[in-house]
Amino acid sequence: MAKEIWAEDNAADAKAKHQNEMVFPIGAPNDAFAKYFIGQSYLAPLSTQQVGIYNVTFEPGCRNNWHIHHDGYQILLVTGGEGWYQEDGKPAQSLKPGDVIVTHDGVKHWHGAAKDSWFEHIAITAGIPEWLEPVADEFYEGLHQ
């Protein structure tokens, strides 16, 4: 039991430390999309006027399922931590603050944190997402920064 409490305290400390290094707020747990993620993510809406603009924060090891944006696109502006992005049929690419990813309409892809790093990006998203299968653990565990 003490081990579980210690782990919770360490996780809370890591989250607070990471929030202090961020420009945008971590936001609330991403419960609305949790079934499409492995691990814990957080969502902070920045604007929903014309397109969705969100700060998305991933705890270490968190990633979303493969997905496609139909009748739209997604632009990711990496603002902190280290993560991954991959389009179907291409190698995964390491992401660091300052990286920009443009995902065009109809492209199957996934993105998320590195195993040992918090990660966040601003997601500018238009269109309708189609959520697909999770990224295989065996594949993800084999990625190295």
Side-chain angles (χ1 to χ4, degrees):
M1 184 172 176
K3 188 175 182 180
E4 289 176 18
I5 292 170
W6 180 257
E8 288 174 15
D9 288 346
N10 285 341
D13 290 346
K15 181 179 175 186
K17 180 180 182 290
H18 187 71
Q19 176 62 76
N20 288 336
E21 298 170 355
M22 293 175 58
V23 174
F24 297 102
I26 285 180
N30 191 3
D31 295 336
F33 294 95
K35 65 184 176 182
Y36 306 118
F37 283 72
I38 294 173
Q40 181 64 57
S41 66
Y42 302 88
L43 192 62
L46 303 178
S47 176
T48 56
Q49 294 292 318
Q50 294 176 342
V51 297
I53 304 174
Y54 299 91
N55 184 53
V56 185
T57 303
F58 301 76
E59 288 188 358
C62 178
R63 66 226 183 242
N64 54 30
N65 287 6
W66 287 96
H67 58 286
I68 299 169
H69 299 278
H70 295 286
D71 300 320
Y73 56 86
Q74 186 171 58
I75 301 169
L76 305 178
L77 308 173
V78 180
T79 57
E82 294 183 5
W84 293 100
Y85 172 84
Q86 184 179 21
E87 292 182 0
D88 192 30
K90 296 183 179 178
Q93 63 185 85
S94 175
L95 297 176
K96 295 189 178 11
D99 288 340
V100 176
I101 297 292
V102 178
T103 305
H104 298 281
D105 183 44
V107 175
K108 183 178 176 181
H109 67 286
W110 70 271
H111 37 101
K115 291 177 280 205
D116 58 354
S117 177
W118 284 78
F119 175 66
E120 69 268 352
H121 60 58
I122 303 300
I124 303 166
T125 307
I128 308 296
E130 175 187 0
W131 292 99
L132 304 166
E133 72 277 5
V135 175
D137 289 337
E138 303 77 33
F139 172 79
Y140 177 80
E141 292 299 324
L143 295 173
H144 299 287
Q145 291 285 351

